[in-house]
Amino acid sequence: MQFQSNLVSGRLVKRYKRFFADVELSNGRIVTAHCPNTGSMLGLANHGVKVWLEPNENPKKKLKYSWKLVDHENGHFTGVDTNVANKIVNEALLQGKILEVLDYDIILREQIYGANSRVDFLLRNGSKTCYLEVKSVTLCRQEKIAEFPDTVTSRGAKHLKELSKTVSTNTRAIVLYLVQRSDCNYFKIAGDLDQTYLNETISSSNSGVEFVSYRVNFLSNGIELGYKLELIDNSSF
């Protein structure tokens, strides 16, 4: 997944109303950028943190910058744009990088199923089907351990319930936690932040839903799928 233009750096002044972030650029000018992340962004939106913005010249967009990265200034980055997660996974599927689903040759995106739900990817090969749900992960509270969710997510719990109902002999359901950080080697569910989501994880795992986590690689001009992370068993799966 390539950025549309070269990123510019700055320092975060504040994030507010979820979708806005004031950033002081290196030349001292303060701009308002779009924040493409509806989560709490726990640990990522502190005043003064170094960030990278993507400029745009689209006349239809009111905001001329979009917040893409947090620069931890230790050689590591976090991607904050949740919208790019599906783009990264889609490219990885086309390139055969996701080992768990190599035997599917048809890739359908944003398919409606269940009780008015929508799955990110529906994969098919003859009579075999796989529902693939992608979750963007940015939280890290312990060294090298990524966590999801970073706040209560009733929508995420609903998705797990719906996925549980799809599993059958020829139908799989997978939740892929895409860790948009370069400093994590493990993944776990943040049950202390959302006990309901943890409970639904346990229930859906017992129903046959599969769980996998991959991290990303940050490139000079974009982001790509990296290697698979180890899942920490916190009595959930």
Side-chain angles (χ1 to χ4, degrees), residues 116-131:
N116 197 31
S117 291
R118 191 182 298 269
V119 71
D120 293 317
F121 296 94
L122 181 61
L123 312 178
R124 287 178 175 161
N125 184 352
S127 62
K128 296 189 299 182
T129 301
C130 179
Y131 290 80

Side-chain angles (χ1 to χ4, degrees), residues 8-220:
V8 297
S9 65
R11 296 283 175 179
L12 181 66
V13 177
K14 63 177 178 178
R15 179 211 185 193
Y16 55 101
K17 296 182 180 179
R18 292 200 302 174
F19 298 106
F20 300 96
D22 287 346
V23 175
E24 182 178 356
L25 301 181
S26 56
N27 62 6
R29 184 163 68 100
I30 295 179
V31 299
T32 299
H34 174 235
C35 179
N37 189 316
T38 60
S40 73
M41 295 184 65
L42 185 62
L44 298 174
N46 299 326
H47 174 79
V49 69
K50 186 176 181 179
V51 301
W52 289 87
L53 309 179
E54 182 181 64
N56 75 81
E57 300 297 332
N58 189 338
K60 296 182 179 179
K61 291 185 177 182
K62 294 182 179 180
L63 300 178
K64 298 306 178 183
Y65 295 89
S66 180
W67 185 4
K68 295 300 178 181
L69 304 176
V70 167
D71 187 337
H72 299 286
E73 300 188 84
N74 58 0
H76 290 292
F77 298 85
T78 295
V80 302
D81 187 350
T82 58
N83 298 320
V84 306
N86 283 10
K87 296 178 182 179
I88 295 169
V89 171
N90 186 62
E91 288 183 359
L93 288 170
L94 294 173
Q95 295 167 1
K97 290 184 176 181
I98 302 177
L99 305 179
E100 291 76 12
V101 292
L102 292 179
D103 55 345
Y104 298 94
D105 52 12
I106 296 176
I107 303 171
L108 304 174
R109 301 184 64 175
E110 296 291 328
Q111 298 297 297
I112 295 175
Y113 78 108
N116 197 31
S117 291
R118 191 182 298 269
V119 71
D120 293 317
F121 296 94
L122 181 61
L123 312 178
R124 287 178 175 161
N125 184 352
S127 62
K128 296 189 299 182
T129 301
C130 179
Y131 290 80
L132 179 62
E133 181 71 18
V134 179
K135 298 298 183 186
S136 178
V137 180
T138 60
L139 177 62
C140 177
R141 296 180 293 174
Q142 304 174 66
E143 186 177 3
K144 298 187 181 299
I145 301 177
E147 297 179 89
F148 183 90
D150 65 359
T151 189
V152 174
T153 171
S154 56
R155 182 169 175 265
K158 176 178 179 267
H159 284 161
L160 290 177
K161 287 183 179 180
E162 293 290 354
L163 286 174
S164 298
K165 299 174 184 177
T166 66
V167 179
S168 65
T169 302
N170 288 322
T171 304
R172 298 166 66 198
I174 301 175
V175 180
L176 190 156
Y177 295 100
L178 185 70
V179 177
Q180 290 202 61
R181 300 187 65 114
S182 60
D183 57 356
C184 294
N185 296 324
Y186 307 92
F187 172 81
K188 66 180 288 190
I189 300 296
D192 62 314
L193 298 181
D194 190 343
Q195 184 63 46
T196 299
Y197 187 83
L198 173 58
N199 293 341
E200 289 299 335
T201 302
I202 297 171
S203 177
S204 58
S205 178
N206 291 336
S207 298
V209 176
E210 303 166 48
F211 297 87
V212 64
S213 179
Y214 282 80
R215 57 172 268 184
V216 301
N217 294 328
F218 293 99
L219 310 175
S220 60

